[in-house]
Amino acid sequence: MRTPAWSEDELVLAGALVVRNGWRELRTGDREVHELSELLRSLPIHPAEALSLPGFRSPDSVSRKTTDFATNHPGYSGGRTRCGNPTLQMIDALISREAEMLAAAQAIEDGIGSGQLQLLTPQPDEVDDSGSTAVEGRLLVRRALVRERDPRLRRAKIQQVRRRGGTLMCEVCSFDFTVTYGELGADYIEVHHVTPLHVVGTSKTRLDDLACLCANCHRMCHRSRPGESWRTPDELRAIIRTSAQTGPHAASASVS
């Protein structure tokens, strides 16, 4: 078995360590490096066999990764170490969204320390079709999906919509399951956290923190791409408007 590549969860933790150190690398003997090494080896991501591999997330390997982060920062004036594109993307994310990424790292640390993240079962949508996860990490995506699939939370959100006299439809694209599927689609909708849990914290979810979405829009809110791993319903709605105005269908409509 080869040593597993660094996951997004591990990269955000290592990157956050470098940010807190003023974008300077940390040495093998540093206490923070040893603590991160122990934390990385406890993450429920890689197969158990990885723990027996020589050097797997050892203090030496953690120190080398902090060097990758430090020397590939745009402000670094010396020679750069060679690193993969995921590390470069994480550097960009940490620069452009430092507070959010540090909050994500803290959420992972807190979740592992409390044992909560180890108890979560893998979710089918925590990894997208390309094999990538959100830059915030698979574990936080997993926690969000588990929370969103809580049937009690979904029922409570539907009841809130009904009490307010609203129609149960997607808040982004207005898709109505009942209109399309009849009785089969009655009372069906998916719920989505408008803001990621690592941003709002782990306090009790308020119903107003949730949005009702169709399956397609829900997936698009969670779908990751370089430097971006989630979007709010409002942001997704703006993407749809832009696509309608600039996409191929818009061009063909103007010609006709």
Side-chain angles (χ1 to χ4, degrees), residues 238-251:
I239 291 173
I240 292 175
R241 284 198 301 267
T242 301
S243 177
Q245 294 168 359
T246 62
H249 295 294

Side-chain angles (χ1 to χ4, degrees), residues 66-238:
T66 69
T67 302
D68 288 340
F69 274 95
T71 62
N72 283 277
H73 186 277
Y76 186 76
S77 58
R80 303 177 185 276
T81 59
R82 295 182 61 182
C83 62
N85 196 49
T87 300
L88 297 177
Q89 291 177 6
M90 188 61 70
I91 291 173
D92 290 340
L94 283 162
I95 292 173
S96 61
R97 296 184 287 149
E98 178 179 311
E100 179 189 338
M101 301 308 292
L102 291 179
Q106 189 64 54
I108 295 174
E109 293 173 7
D110 293 344
I112 293 298
S114 66
Q116 293 177 355
L117 292 180
Q118 291 96 322
L119 299 176
L120 299 178
T121 58
Q123 300 293 301
D125 296 336
E126 67 187 42
V127 181
D128 67 18
D129 296 335
S130 67
S132 300
T133 62
V135 289
E136 286 83 356
R138 176 182 302 184
L139 295 177
L140 298 187
V141 174
R142 181 181 299 176
R143 185 175 70 178
L145 291 170
V146 167
R147 290 279 291 275
E148 290 173 355
R149 287 166 179 161
D150 183 341
R152 296 168 299 179
L153 200 63
R154 179 178 166 276
R155 283 196 300 267
K157 181 62 178 179
I158 290 176
Q159 290 171 359
Q160 181 195 57
V161 173
R162 298 294 194 203
R163 285 196 306 269
R164 293 177 175 178
T167 301
L168 196 63
M169 63 173 60
C170 178
E171 295 180 25
V172 171
C173 70
S174 300
F175 183 85
D176 188 321
F177 284 89
T178 303
V179 170
T180 302
Y181 299 109
E183 184 180 350
L184 177 64
D187 291 328
Y188 183 81
I189 202 73
E190 297 185 7
V191 299
H192 173 70
H193 285 93
V194 175
T195 306
L197 294 177
H198 72 266
V199 175
V200 300
T202 57
S203 58
K204 184 176 180 180
T205 299
R206 299 179 306 161
L207 295 182
D208 287 339
D209 295 330
L210 303 172
C212 291
L213 302 180
C214 69
N216 285 344
C217 288
H218 193 189
R219 184 66 179 267
M220 290 299 101
C221 279
H222 276 293
R223 192 162 194 251
S224 63
R225 57 185 179 181
E228 182 183 353
S229 60
W230 62 272
R231 51 209 54 84
T232 66
D234 285 343
E235 290 168 338
L236 185 61
R237 199 177 298 112

Side-chain angles (χ1 to χ4, degrees), residues 1-42:
M1 179 182 179
R2 299 179 60 182
T3 301
W6 283 66
S7 69
E8 286 86 349
D9 303 80
E10 296 169 311
L11 289 174
V12 71
L13 290 169
L17 184 61
V18 175
V19 172
R20 294 170 185 146
N21 197 46
W23 281 100
R24 297 186 301 271
E25 64 184 324
L26 290 94
R27 301 300 185 185
T28 299
D30 289 340
R31 173 180 56 82
E32 296 91 341
V33 169
H34 283 263
E35 291 175 351
L36 181 56
S37 171
E38 294 178 5
L39 178 62
L40 296 180
R41 289 174 60 84
S42 71

